[in-house]
Every structure is written in C-alpha cells, then in structure tokens.
Amino acid sequence: MSRTRIAVSFVLASVFFGGTFVAAKAGQAYIPPLLFVALRFDIAAVLLLAYAALTTPRADLVPRTRGDIAGILAAGVFAIGLANALLFVGQGYVSSAVGSIVFSLVPIFSPLFAGVLLADERLTPAGAVGTAVGLVGVAMVIGIDPGNLSSALDYGTAIVFGGAVSAALGGVLIRRAETTTSSTVRTAWALPVSALLLHAMSVGAGESVAAIEWTVGAVVALVYVGVFAGAIAYIAYFDLIDQVGAIRSSLTFYATPAVAAIGGWLVLGEQLSGLAVAGFAVILAGFTIIGYRTVVPALESAVLRTIHRLPPIHLHGDDRRETGFETDGD
C-alpha cells in the first residue's frame, strides 16, 4: 500500500502542478497575479480544512509541538506562499514553457539545501547523474538550446527562479521540522497562512478586486488552480515529502514541464515538437536513474498488482512446459 500511495501521489502532484502553468498564463488575462494566487489559496484552504476535519480525529488536528508549528510555517511561507507568488508574477513576463523549465530546477536546489540542513539526505552519484539527465530532457521538451538560452534569462525568469528556490527550501525545512502532524493536516493549516501572506502582498502591490474580469475563462482557471492544483495537488506533494523525502519528492517538478507542454498544446494551441517528444523519453531515463529505489518500484508494484487481478491462465500439457508457467489445474 505504501508503494501504491507513493505512485498515486507522484502522478497527481505532477499532472496537476503541470497544469498550473497553463492555467496561470490563461487566468492572468483576467485576474491580477498576486490576487489570483491569494484567491487560489482561499479556495484550497476551505476545501482542505473541511477534508481534514472529516477524515482526521479531532485530537490530531491541533499542532502540538514546535516542530508542528515550524513545519506549517515552512510550508505556508516558503513551499506554498512565496514560491507561488514569485511563480505567478514571473509568468506575466515569460511564456508558460520557460516558466515551467525554470521552476523544474527545484530538484537541483533541494539536494543543496538538504546537504546543509538535513543529516539523513544526501545526493548520491547516481542521483546526480539522474538529475543532469532529467534537466537535459526538460530542456529538450521546452526547446531551449545554447543559441536562445540567453533570451530566457530576463526579469521574469529571475522571478520564477526565486520561486523555485523558495519551493526547494520549504520542502527541506518541512523535513527538518520533524512534525508530528500528518501531511494533510499540516497543509490544511499552511494554506491559510499562504492566503494571508498573498492577500497582504496583493494589497501592498496595489492590486484590486475591482480589476477582476469575471469571465468563464477566469472562473475555470481559478477553480483549476484552487481545487485541482491547490487542495488535491498539495495533499499529494506533501505526502510525498513525508514518504520519500525532500530530494525524491522534488522529482515531480521534472514531470511538470512535460504536462505543461501537452496542456499548452491542447488548451492554448501551442505546438509540440518532435524534440519535445524525444525529451519526454530522456526525462523518463532520468527518473529511472534517480528514483529507482522509490518511484520506479512503486510503479512496478502497481503494474504487478493489476496483472495479478487478471483471470488466471490455464495451460495444458506441452504448453505449460514450453512457457514455464505453473498452474494449479490442467
């Protein structure tokens, strides 16, 4: 069950976070960026607090230790709040493709912070190779090469870069806090912290609710980032941190550019090149190298369980000997 849980959390976090880049780009045409994120966290906080109240014993809902408080603040301020504030503001200056590849640098920063702040997490040589291979695949998906890389390093890119640093630091600080609460409860308390932080930043930036254009596109984008890329994705991501650690959980940010590229192609009409398809294969190779002890076994286990649920194959005589299958009957 633990491996299945890891696999499901990985897929949900990767897919829903990947769609965030598309929804953020589309939604900012109608909603100011910081207010957009603040409203996202308002929705996610209400849903997740209700979910936590329904699924968690009352005694486990209240933070009890300093570590619990530290974990909530690390998630609310760094891993969720500042990371998304910088991401959404930066998306106003760069394409969703560039934003996704810059934010996918989280797996690079996580081991660096973990090496300084955590005693039980280190980047192995295999992990370093897998990280490098994954980044090459991400660059292929987005289509960045040495000839146009300098054009991506602008003001917006620097802001998104800061968001990636904040997300990586927050994930490591959560592990360092050694909380006693579940990831769901921690995230349920962290989201209101993020919402308050973003509303304060929005007011400070001079944004106004009156500037929102309540179109169908605005509502769809807000519902997506609030419900799917908000409550559901954060439950999955922070559960991954608890299950496999800050370094391996950050692998979800390798998958998000692939999801963003496909989403941009389907929703926004962006082109998906042959180089991008090849990049998906390279990213998969990076996953295999760096996540072979957690993510890959989890996926393999899920496949094997599916096979075991299939009806048994009954073979006769020579068929059984030739195939090597052993059966209970004839």
Side-chain angles (χ1 to χ4, degrees):
M1 290 300 295
S2 178
R3 288 186 172 183
T4 300
R5 180 175 175 178
I6 292 172
V8 170
S9 295
F10 181 83
V11 171
L12 289 178
S14 299
V15 171
F16 289 150
F17 280 153
T20 299
F21 297 94
V22 179
K25 196 68 179 178
Q28 285 192 46
Y30 314 104
I31 309 173
L34 293 175
L35 183 57
F36 190 9
V37 186
L39 294 174
R40 172 195 188 185
F41 293 149
D42 289 340
I43 296 171
V46 171
L47 293 176
L48 196 51
L49 284 169
Y51 174 79
L54 291 173
T55 60
T56 307
R58 182 171 299 180
D60 296 332
L61 287 173
V62 180
R64 295 183 293 271
T65 67
R66 291 184 179 180
D68 293 341
I69 301 298
I72 290 170
L73 292 177
V77 175
F78 294 103
I80 301 177
L82 288 178
N84 281 271
L86 295 170
L87 170 61
F88 274 59
V89 171
Q91 283 277 201
Y93 299 92
V94 300
S95 67
S96 57
V98 172
S100 64
I101 189 173
V102 173
F103 210 75
S104 71
L105 294 175
V106 171
I108 293 294
F109 301 130
S110 292
L112 299 179
F113 286 125
V116 175
L117 299 174
L118 301 178
D120 60 344
E121 288 198 44
R122 294 291 186 272
L123 187 64
T124 64
V129 172
T131 297
V133 171
L135 281 177
V136 170
V138 169
M140 292 171 64
V141 170
I142 303 305
I144 291 181
D145 57 46
N148 63 21
L149 181 60
S150 59
S151 64
L153 301 177
D154 55 15
Y155 178 71
T157 303
I159 296 176
V160 178
F161 184 90
V165 173
S166 181
L169 176 61
V172 173
L173 289 176
I174 290 171
R175 288 282 290 177
R176 180 180 173 84
E178 297 182 353
T179 64
T180 63
T181 58
S182 68
S183 59
T184 298
V185 171
R186 182 176 60 243
T187 309
W189 284 107
L191 282 170
V193 173
S194 301
L196 290 173
L197 175 64
L198 266 296
H199 277 294
M201 294 176 67
S202 176
V203 172
E207 296 179 350
S208 171
V209 176
I212 300 176
E213 298 180 34
W214 289 111
T215 64
V216 174
V219 173
V220 171
L222 186 57
V223 169
Y224 178 85
V225 298
V227 178
F228 297 98
I232 297 175
Y234 280 121
I235 290 174
Y237 178 63
F238 290 117
D239 183 61
L240 269 182
I241 292 179
D242 288 345
Q243 294 292 318
V244 302
I247 293 177
R248 290 190 175 94
S249 63
S250 66
L251 288 174
T252 55
F253 294 98
Y254 271 161
T256 54
V259 176
I262 295 173
W265 174 55
L266 293 175
V267 178
L268 303 178
E270 298 175 352
Q271 295 299 313
L272 188 64
S273 66
L275 182 63
V277 175
F280 296 156
V282 177
I283 292 173
L284 180 60
F287 284 155
T288 303
I289 295 171
I290 197 172
Y292 71 97
R293 290 184 177 177
T294 50
V295 177
V296 173
L299 296 175
E300 289 177 348
S301 179
V303 171
L304 289 175
R305 271 192 293 274
T306 301
I307 294 175
H308 289 160
R309 293 191 185 102
L310 297 175
I313 300 175
H314 298 288
L315 301 176
H316 298 272
D318 294 337
D319 292 334
R320 183 172 60 226
R321 290 190 295 273
E322 291 175 2
T323 59
F325 277 94
E326 296 293 337
T327 61
D328 293 333
D330 293 331

